[in-house]
Amino acid sequence: MKKGAKKGGEKSVRNLFCELPWLAMPAKAVSTSPTWKRFLTPFVIPFLILLITGIAVAAEPSPQEVIAHAARKVVKLYGAGGLSSLEGYQSGILVAPDGRIITVASTVLDSDEIDCVLDDGRRFVAKLVGIDPRRELAVLQIEAADLPAFAVMPEDEPSPPGTRIIALSNMFGVAVGDERVTAQRGVVAARVPLEARRGAAEAPFRGSVYVLDCTTNNPGSPGGAVINARGRLIGMLGKELRSTDSGIWLNYALPASELVAGSEAILTGTVATTPAADAPRFDPRLLGAILMPDLLDRTPPFVESIAPASPAARAGLRPDDLVIAVGPRSVTTRAAVEQALGVLAPGDPVKMTVIRAGTLVEIDLGPRPRGATP
Amino acid sequence: MNMKRFASGIMATAALAALLAPTRATAEPTLAEEAAFQGAVARVAAAVVRIEPLALTAAAGAGVAEAAPGSGPSTGTIIAPGLVLTTSFAIPADVNDAVVVVPDGGRRAARVRSRDRSRGLVLLAVDGLPEPPPLGEVPRARLRPGQWAIAVGRGWSAAAPTVAVGIVSATNRAWGRGVQTDAAVSPVNYGGPLIDITGQVIGILAPLPAEPAGMTEGTELYDAGIGFAVPLEDILAVLPRLTTGESLDAGILGITYRSRDQINGEPVIGSVRQGSPAARAGLAPGDRIAVIDGHSITRVADARHAIGPKHAGDAVAVTVERTDATGKASRIEATTTLAAEMPPWRRAMIGVVADAEGDDAERGPVRIAWVLAGSPAEQAGITTGDAIESIVSGRNAGATAIEGRASAAGVLAGVEPGERITLSIRRDDAIREIEIDTIAMPGDVPTDGPPAASGGGDPLAGPLNAVEVVKLAGADIADPAVAVIPTGTGPVGVLVWAGIPHGKVAEAEAASWKAAAVRHGVAVVLVGSAEPAAWSRSDIAAVTRALAALHARRPIDATRIGIAGTGAGAAFAWMVAERLGPAAGGVALVEAALPQRAVVTPAEPAAGWWVLLGPGGDDAARDRVAADQRRLDKAGYPVGLMPQDDSDAPPAEILCRWVSVLGLL
């Protein structure tokens, strides 16, 4: 209808109105040729008002419009099967009009031929450009032009919990050919560092992810787009993982900032290859605190003894104290204590929280010395 | 310009605008919703704290690849100054300390003050807690299914509360204890508040297991679209008692229901525990419950709903209808106080196995199929073919007419082992009265068992003729279990076997079970594990599906279902038995002791498995088995030792014989 407000469309509008019986215009008045200007002038101002209001209100698109607009930028990917050969499919996101796609790095991409099917049903063969193993992110390329694509930008500020999101993905592979991918609605549940595992292996990414209140950990969902109410891409659906702490399935998305950093690293050939799991550890013995040896994989970090005249002795740490936190990080194993200390830079203050006879005691061990790994 | 034309133009434009308006109006709610969610959460955020588990309680689960309760950060709510309410997921029963992280990130030591064990809630006393914001309370009567419900937690991060959005699904669930929501409730937010769209508190999120707590604790429902919250108004009603340090338990009446259908069955009492509130009130097996606390009762579920929300120490008024042996009906009203626990129940027996009953068998006098050698029944002269018509036991005024095996078991359930009972036996058209002194159920498997009543198969003719090996396939079953079924049409007993997990089970494994299956008329179901080297919770569902598939082919005798396993399969067998509850007659842990995290609840008439353990390969294992035997015996379970067996084959003969006598009366 906005087209009708432009001058070029006046004639067709007039014809339309001539045919509508409910208009309170006598037919005779229209047939007189010079009065067509007089006929239309009363409509021009109201139409302009409508146009302006329409533009103002259009700043808040409806969910249906947002989905329709965004779904065209999500693709269906098919490749090599996994162990059960049922999951040889996932989703991908168009990030450039020339056909650059980001998705998760998974066994689906191990195939010689990765098939990519667009929202309009067109098939392409995708080439794997590169992989960021730490973020488990992959960049693919198809030979195309003028495709609808997301403008992926780092976030100015993270979306807080409660933000409405829509996840677009080919979950369970239900969409085929020119069928649109599946839309699911939910909210951001939290934004936290990822501590997760797949089977027994720990996931390599340790940065912050969006945990979603939306059941997105389905076959086919990884690589799907997570958008906010305005249609902006805020994340990419991750792989099916369980939380290390609680064992529950994680519905999560890699934030846009990570998508930008990861794809830039891939395209410029500067992908970091050392897995994050090899973060340096720091032995608390260097501070004079000797913890109980690891008999099981999860020995609690009890203090066994204190070296005399050491930072630990001066700080008041005692045998039988149970370390429960290093700084703000809670620790439940000796390995976690070493990792938490390793994260600190030399010179950073080392503060521990311990339990002694049922009460919490804060211990200040002074600055972290330069140390060798055990 | 012509005013009339101008006016017409306005009208036309207005009409067009009206056509366009609907697509614009829907844009507003999304952003308004976000603001409402975030505003509601902000109103309670200062009262939501994070609970960190202490390393001491994080025990490794032996061979079962799922989350164990109590392992992982969880949530709590500041319910009063210095007091935090959380769940038994965060603070398991044997733990008394925890660490609370307050919203500004600081850590505080916490001690358990008291527990409401009926709802899995734990009250912690915490020093140095910030002043709590006043919690708005939504009265339960005002809740409407369909209204917004937001689950708030701090399990993921102490810094910002996590948000899960849904609706109120139902207002009176979990036998009266909870409000149901479809917001994602999980270990991440157990202990946190469930709030409405204005930030008022509906209740505190908790796993409310439908069945008594076992290893799985109800936490497996977290991603199924169902979650529960204990209404705040119920919590505040008992908070004064909890604050003084008084722990609360679920209230027990001390009865079981005769019907196997625990929802829609007739509300007829099956057994009454000795010394229970029901016994003190004068209730007896066969009584039909008519009214509880003024609510009329028409099915078992009504009675469970009436008693479910009550605590031990609460009073209850019960009215029953009783019809005595002469057919006279009377109405009895009684008020009694519910108890916290019953002394362990020990199964009394006389030593007979009754004919197997199909689902639609007529319920009348029980015909005896086999008598155990050396038992009180044999000594009293009872033989195969006798029919028990009625039983007189110490406490009921007259004889209880026997209508099916369940009613006989019900009467025996109210008898103390050693007590004398009188049976009316019909033999060759004559009635005799026989007095028998009952004894406690033996633990070890008898050396002989009842002959296979499956109507087929002479074992000497070779097992191949008398048994079939089938895959229990079904529409939704990916890896079907393998079943060894003796030929015939009558109801069979079932042995479920879970060995060392190795993925899918092959038909060739059935070979070692065939002879024993035929000899004892027991169907053996071999289940496989979904993961190649470990049993997991999804395999439990596979077992129940396999049993359903078997029942569709051949009726299962409900009194003879045994679960057995070895290695990691032993812990899995225990979990399956917990899931089946009273449906399982026994559980055998071959070459194993009880799983590390096993919770041994005192035996009850409806749930007292016959447990077999061990024997144990070395001294340390044998000591553990002996300790677990004492533990189970103390809780009232008949427990026996598996004999030493050095062969690699599974102990098919003894397990099938054991299943054939699981229904021992």
Side-chain angles (χ1 to χ4, degrees), chain A residues 236-282:
Chain A
M236 178 183 79
L237 293 176
K239 297 165 89 158
E240 293 168 72
L241 296 177
R242 286 184 187 275
S243 158
T244 317
D245 273 335
S246 59
I248 68 177
W249 287 107
L250 271 180
N251 303 301
Y252 74 98
L254 204 58
S257 321
E258 297 292 344
L259 301 178
V260 169
S263 48
E264 269 176 17
I266 292 171
L267 293 169
T268 57
T270 54
V271 171
T273 46
T274 52
D278 274 2
R281 294 188 180 193
F282 182 88

Short mmCIF file of all heavy atoms in Angstrom, two decimals, chain A residues 236-282:
data_model
loop_
_atom_site.label_atom_id
_atom_site.label_comp_id
_atom_site.label_asym_id
_atom_site.label_seq_id
_atom_site.Cartn_x
_atom_site.Cartn_y
_atom_site.Cartn_z
N MET A 236 25.68 -18.32 17.63
CA MET A 236 25.53 -19.51 16.78
C MET A 236 25.37 -20.72 17.68
O MET A 236 26.14 -20.89 18.64
CB MET A 236 26.77 -19.69 15.90
CG MET A 236 26.70 -20.93 15.02
SD MET A 236 28.20 -21.21 14.04
CE MET A 236 29.28 -21.92 15.27
N LEU A 237 24.38 -21.56 17.40
CA LEU A 237 24.13 -22.73 18.24
C LEU A 237 25.33 -23.66 18.25
O LEU A 237 25.92 -23.95 17.21
CB LEU A 237 22.90 -23.49 17.72
CG LEU A 237 21.58 -22.75 17.85
CD1 LEU A 237 20.46 -23.56 17.21
CD2 LEU A 237 21.26 -22.48 19.32
N GLY A 238 25.70 -24.13 19.45
CA GLY A 238 26.86 -24.97 19.60
C GLY A 238 26.53 -26.45 19.50
O GLY A 238 25.40 -26.84 19.26
N LYS A 239 27.55 -27.28 19.76
CA LYS A 239 27.38 -28.73 19.62
C LYS A 239 26.64 -29.30 20.83
O LYS A 239 26.48 -28.63 21.85
CB LYS A 239 28.75 -29.39 19.52
CG LYS A 239 29.51 -28.94 18.28
CD LYS A 239 30.98 -29.29 18.38
CE LYS A 239 31.27 -30.66 17.82
NZ LYS A 239 32.69 -30.76 17.44
N GLU A 240 26.22 -30.55 20.70
CA GLU A 240 25.50 -31.18 21.80
C GLU A 240 26.49 -31.55 22.90
O GLU A 240 27.29 -32.45 22.76
CB GLU A 240 24.79 -32.45 21.31
CG GLU A 240 23.67 -32.16 20.33
CD GLU A 240 23.18 -33.41 19.64
OE1 GLU A 240 22.52 -34.22 20.29
OE2 GLU A 240 23.49 -33.59 18.44
N LEU A 241 26.43 -30.85 24.02
CA LEU A 241 27.38 -31.05 25.11
C LEU A 241 26.65 -31.15 26.43
O LEU A 241 25.52 -30.65 26.58
CB LEU A 241 28.35 -29.85 25.21
CG LEU A 241 29.27 -29.59 24.04
CD1 LEU A 241 30.08 -28.33 24.31
CD2 LEU A 241 30.22 -30.75 23.83
N ARG A 242 27.31 -31.77 27.40
CA ARG A 242 26.79 -31.80 28.76
C ARG A 242 27.63 -30.88 29.64
O ARG A 242 28.83 -30.79 29.48
CB ARG A 242 26.93 -33.19 29.36
CG ARG A 242 25.99 -34.21 28.84
CD ARG A 242 26.22 -35.49 29.62
NE ARG A 242 25.46 -36.57 29.07
CZ ARG A 242 24.20 -36.83 29.37
NH1 ARG A 242 23.57 -36.06 30.20
NH2 ARG A 242 23.57 -37.84 28.82
N SER A 243 26.98 -30.27 30.62
CA SER A 243 27.71 -29.47 31.59
C SER A 243 28.58 -30.38 32.45
O SER A 243 28.15 -31.44 32.88
CB SER A 243 26.70 -28.74 32.47
OG SER A 243 27.30 -28.38 33.69
N THR A 244 29.84 -29.97 32.67
CA THR A 244 30.75 -30.80 33.48
C THR A 244 30.26 -30.89 34.91
O THR A 244 30.32 -31.93 35.54
CB THR A 244 32.15 -30.16 33.50
OG1 THR A 244 32.48 -29.72 32.21
CG2 THR A 244 33.18 -31.18 33.97
N ASP A 245 29.76 -29.77 35.45
CA ASP A 245 29.35 -29.73 36.85
C ASP A 245 28.16 -30.61 37.14
O ASP A 245 28.17 -31.41 38.06
CB ASP A 245 28.94 -28.29 37.22
CG ASP A 245 30.14 -27.48 37.65
OD1 ASP A 245 31.11 -28.09 38.12
OD2 ASP A 245 30.09 -26.26 37.51
N SER A 246 27.09 -30.41 36.38
CA SER A 246 25.84 -31.05 36.78
C SER A 246 25.44 -32.18 35.87
O SER A 246 24.48 -32.87 36.16
CB SER A 246 24.73 -30.00 36.79
OG SER A 246 24.62 -29.45 35.50
N GLY A 247 26.15 -32.36 34.73
CA GLY A 247 25.80 -33.46 33.84
C GLY A 247 24.59 -33.22 32.99
O GLY A 247 24.20 -34.09 32.22
N ILE A 248 23.95 -32.07 33.11
CA ILE A 248 22.73 -31.86 32.31
C ILE A 248 23.11 -31.34 30.93
O ILE A 248 24.15 -30.73 30.74
CB ILE A 248 21.73 -30.91 33.00
CG1 ILE A 248 22.26 -29.49 33.08
CG2 ILE A 248 21.39 -31.41 34.37
CD1 ILE A 248 21.24 -28.55 33.68
N TRP A 249 22.24 -31.62 29.95
CA TRP A 249 22.48 -31.18 28.58
C TRP A 249 22.45 -29.66 28.52
O TRP A 249 21.62 -29.01 29.12
CB TRP A 249 21.39 -31.72 27.65
CG TRP A 249 21.52 -33.18 27.38
CD1 TRP A 249 20.73 -34.17 27.86
CD2 TRP A 249 22.51 -33.82 26.56
NE1 TRP A 249 21.15 -35.39 27.39
CE2 TRP A 249 22.24 -35.21 26.59
CE3 TRP A 249 23.59 -33.36 25.80
CZ2 TRP A 249 23.01 -36.14 25.88
CZ3 TRP A 249 24.35 -34.30 25.11
CH2 TRP A 249 24.06 -35.66 25.15
N LEU A 250 23.40 -29.11 27.74
CA LEU A 250 23.51 -27.67 27.63
C LEU A 250 22.88 -27.18 26.33
O LEU A 250 23.21 -27.68 25.26
CB LEU A 250 24.98 -27.27 27.57
CG LEU A 250 25.69 -27.01 28.88
CD1 LEU A 250 27.12 -26.63 28.59
CD2 LEU A 250 25.01 -25.88 29.63
N ASN A 251 21.99 -26.20 26.42
CA ASN A 251 21.52 -25.49 25.24
C ASN A 251 22.29 -24.18 25.20
O ASN A 251 22.06 -23.33 26.04
CB ASN A 251 20.02 -25.20 25.37
CG ASN A 251 19.22 -26.47 25.58
OD1 ASN A 251 19.25 -27.38 24.75
ND2 ASN A 251 18.52 -26.57 26.69
N TYR A 252 23.23 -24.05 24.28
CA TYR A 252 24.05 -22.85 24.35
C TYR A 252 24.40 -22.35 22.96
O TYR A 252 24.24 -23.05 21.96
CB TYR A 252 25.34 -23.13 25.14
CG TYR A 252 26.35 -23.96 24.37
CD1 TYR A 252 27.41 -23.34 23.71
CD2 TYR A 252 26.22 -25.32 24.29
CE1 TYR A 252 28.32 -24.08 22.98
CE2 TYR A 252 27.12 -26.07 23.56
CZ TYR A 252 28.17 -25.46 22.92
OH TYR A 252 29.05 -26.20 22.19
N ALA A 253 24.88 -21.09 22.90
CA ALA A 253 25.29 -20.48 21.64
C ALA A 253 26.60 -19.73 21.84
O ALA A 253 26.82 -19.11 22.88
CB ALA A 253 24.21 -19.51 21.15
N LEU A 254 27.45 -19.81 20.82
CA LEU A 254 28.71 -19.08 20.82
C LEU A 254 28.38 -17.62 20.48
O LEU A 254 27.75 -17.34 19.47
CB LEU A 254 29.62 -19.68 19.73
CG LEU A 254 31.11 -19.54 19.84
CD1 LEU A 254 31.60 -20.13 21.14
CD2 LEU A 254 31.77 -20.25 18.67
N PRO A 255 28.79 -16.65 21.33
CA PRO A 255 28.38 -15.26 21.10
C PRO A 255 28.96 -14.66 19.83
O PRO A 255 30.01 -15.11 19.34
CB PRO A 255 28.92 -14.51 22.33
CG PRO A 255 29.23 -15.55 23.33
CD PRO A 255 29.56 -16.80 22.57
N ALA A 256 28.32 -13.61 19.31
CA ALA A 256 28.74 -12.98 18.05
C ALA A 256 30.19 -12.54 18.10
O ALA A 256 30.92 -12.65 17.10
CB ALA A 256 27.82 -11.80 17.75
N SER A 257 30.66 -12.02 19.26
CA SER A 257 32.06 -11.58 19.34
C SER A 257 33.00 -12.73 19.03
O SER A 257 34.02 -12.54 18.36
CB SER A 257 32.38 -11.06 20.74
OG SER A 257 31.32 -10.33 21.25
N GLU A 258 32.69 -13.90 19.51
CA GLU A 258 33.53 -15.07 19.24
C GLU A 258 33.44 -15.49 17.79
O GLU A 258 34.40 -15.97 17.19
CB GLU A 258 33.13 -16.25 20.14
CG GLU A 258 33.31 -16.00 21.62
CD GLU A 258 34.76 -15.89 22.02
OE1 GLU A 258 35.63 -16.30 21.23
OE2 GLU A 258 35.03 -15.36 23.11
N LEU A 259 32.25 -15.32 17.20
CA LEU A 259 32.10 -15.67 15.79
C LEU A 259 32.98 -14.77 14.94
O LEU A 259 33.64 -15.21 13.99
CB LEU A 259 30.64 -15.53 15.35
CG LEU A 259 29.62 -16.38 16.12
CD1 LEU A 259 28.22 -16.10 15.60
CD2 LEU A 259 29.94 -17.85 15.99
N VAL A 260 33.01 -13.48 15.29
CA VAL A 260 33.84 -12.54 14.54
C VAL A 260 35.31 -12.91 14.72
O VAL A 260 36.06 -13.04 13.75
CB VAL A 260 33.59 -11.10 15.04
CG1 VAL A 260 34.63 -10.15 14.47
CG2 VAL A 260 32.20 -10.65 14.67
N ALA A 261 35.73 -13.08 15.97
CA ALA A 261 37.14 -13.37 16.24
C ALA A 261 37.56 -14.67 15.58
O ALA A 261 38.62 -14.77 14.97
CB ALA A 261 37.37 -13.42 17.76
N GLY A 262 36.72 -15.68 15.69
CA GLY A 262 37.07 -16.98 15.13
C GLY A 262 37.15 -16.97 13.62
O GLY A 262 38.11 -17.49 13.03
N SER A 263 36.17 -16.35 12.95
CA SER A 263 36.22 -16.37 11.49
C SER A 263 37.34 -15.50 10.97
O SER A 263 37.98 -15.82 9.96
CB SER A 263 34.87 -16.01 10.88
OG SER A 263 34.33 -14.87 11.47
N GLU A 264 37.64 -14.41 11.66
CA GLU A 264 38.78 -13.59 11.24
C GLU A 264 40.07 -14.39 11.35
O GLU A 264 40.93 -14.35 10.47
CB GLU A 264 38.88 -12.33 12.10
CG GLU A 264 38.13 -11.17 11.50
CD GLU A 264 38.14 -9.94 12.40
OE1 GLU A 264 38.98 -9.88 13.32
OE2 GLU A 264 37.28 -9.07 12.18
N ALA A 265 40.21 -15.13 12.47
CA ALA A 265 41.42 -15.93 12.65
C ALA A 265 41.54 -16.96 11.53
O ALA A 265 42.62 -17.19 11.00
CB ALA A 265 41.39 -16.61 14.01
N ILE A 266 40.44 -17.57 11.15
CA ILE A 266 40.48 -18.57 10.10
C ILE A 266 40.86 -17.93 8.77
O ILE A 266 41.72 -18.43 8.03
CB ILE A 266 39.11 -19.28 9.97
CG1 ILE A 266 38.84 -20.14 11.22
CG2 ILE A 266 39.05 -20.14 8.72
CD1 ILE A 266 37.44 -20.68 11.29
N LEU A 267 40.25 -16.79 8.46
CA LEU A 267 40.48 -16.18 7.15
C LEU A 267 41.88 -15.59 7.04
O LEU A 267 42.45 -15.52 5.95
CB LEU A 267 39.43 -15.10 6.89
CG LEU A 267 38.01 -15.66 6.73
CD1 LEU A 267 36.99 -14.53 6.75
CD2 LEU A 267 37.89 -16.45 5.44
N THR A 268 42.45 -15.15 8.17
CA THR A 268 43.79 -14.59 8.10
C THR A 268 44.86 -15.63 8.41
O THR A 268 46.03 -15.32 8.46
CB THR A 268 43.95 -13.42 9.08
OG1 THR A 268 43.64 -13.89 10.40
CG2 THR A 268 43.05 -12.26 8.73
N GLY A 269 44.43 -16.86 8.65
CA GLY A 269 45.40 -17.93 8.90
C GLY A 269 46.10 -17.83 10.25
O GLY A 269 47.21 -18.32 10.42
N THR A 270 45.46 -17.18 11.23
CA THR A 270 46.13 -16.99 12.52
C THR A 270 45.43 -17.76 13.63
O THR A 270 45.38 -17.33 14.77
CB THR A 270 46.13 -15.49 12.91
OG1 THR A 270 44.78 -15.02 12.86
CG2 THR A 270 46.99 -14.69 11.96
N VAL A 271 44.91 -18.94 13.28
CA VAL A 271 44.17 -19.72 14.29
C VAL A 271 45.13 -20.26 15.33
O VAL A 271 46.18 -20.84 15.00
CB VAL A 271 43.44 -20.88 13.60
CG1 VAL A 271 42.86 -21.83 14.63
CG2 VAL A 271 42.36 -20.35 12.69
N ALA A 272 44.81 -20.11 16.60
CA ALA A 272 45.63 -20.65 17.69
C ALA A 272 45.46 -22.16 17.72
O ALA A 272 44.35 -22.67 17.71
CB ALA A 272 45.19 -20.05 19.02
N THR A 273 46.59 -22.88 17.74
CA THR A 273 46.48 -24.34 17.70
C THR A 273 46.63 -25.00 19.06
O THR A 273 46.27 -26.14 19.23
CB THR A 273 47.54 -24.94 16.76
OG1 THR A 273 48.78 -24.31 17.04
CG2 THR A 273 47.14 -24.71 15.31
N THR A 274 47.22 -24.32 20.05
CA THR A 274 47.34 -24.99 21.36
C THR A 274 45.97 -25.03 22.02
O THR A 274 45.33 -24.02 22.17
CB THR A 274 48.31 -24.25 22.28
OG1 THR A 274 47.94 -22.87 22.33
CG2 THR A 274 49.75 -24.39 21.80
N PRO A 275 45.53 -26.21 22.43
CA PRO A 275 44.22 -26.29 23.08
C PRO A 275 44.24 -25.56 24.41
O PRO A 275 45.25 -25.56 25.10
CB PRO A 275 44.00 -27.79 23.30
CG PRO A 275 45.16 -28.49 22.71
CD PRO A 275 46.19 -27.51 22.34
N ALA A 276 43.12 -24.93 24.76
CA ALA A 276 43.07 -24.16 26.01
C ALA A 276 43.27 -25.04 27.22
O ALA A 276 43.65 -24.57 28.28
CB ALA A 276 41.73 -23.44 26.12
N ALA A 277 43.02 -26.36 27.09
CA ALA A 277 43.11 -27.24 28.26
C ALA A 277 44.53 -27.28 28.82
O ALA A 277 44.73 -27.67 29.94
CB ALA A 277 42.65 -28.64 27.89
N ASP A 278 45.52 -26.88 27.99
CA ASP A 278 46.89 -26.94 28.48
C ASP A 278 47.30 -25.66 29.20
O ASP A 278 48.46 -25.27 29.15
CB ASP A 278 47.86 -27.16 27.30
CG ASP A 278 47.99 -28.64 27.01
OD1 ASP A 278 47.31 -29.43 27.69
OD2 ASP A 278 48.76 -28.99 26.10
N ALA A 279 46.38 -25.00 29.85
CA ALA A 279 46.73 -23.76 30.58
C ALA A 279 47.75 -24.11 31.66
O ALA A 279 47.66 -25.17 32.29
CB ALA A 279 45.47 -23.17 31.20
N PRO A 280 48.70 -23.24 31.90
CA PRO A 280 49.78 -23.57 32.86
C PRO A 280 49.22 -23.73 34.26
O PRO A 280 48.29 -23.04 34.65
CB PRO A 280 50.72 -22.37 32.77
CG PRO A 280 49.90 -21.26 32.23
CD PRO A 280 48.86 -21.88 31.36
N ARG A 281 49.78 -24.65 35.01
CA ARG A 281 49.39 -24.83 36.40
C ARG A 281 50.47 -24.25 37.28
O ARG A 281 51.62 -24.11 36.87
CB ARG A 281 49.26 -26.31 36.72
CG ARG A 281 48.15 -26.99 35.96
CD ARG A 281 48.00 -28.37 36.48
NE ARG A 281 46.94 -29.09 35.82
CZ ARG A 281 46.46 -30.24 36.27
NH1 ARG A 281 46.94 -30.76 37.36
NH2 ARG A 281 45.50 -30.85 35.63
N PHE A 282 50.11 -23.93 38.52
CA PHE A 282 51.06 -23.40 39.48
C PHE A 282 50.97 -24.25 40.73
O PHE A 282 49.90 -24.41 41.30
CB PHE A 282 50.73 -21.94 39.78
CG PHE A 282 51.70 -21.31 40.73
CD1 PHE A 282 52.86 -20.72 40.26
CD2 PHE A 282 51.46 -21.34 42.10
CE1 PHE A 282 53.76 -20.15 41.14
CE2 PHE A 282 52.36 -20.77 42.98
CZ PHE A 282 53.52 -20.17 42.50
#
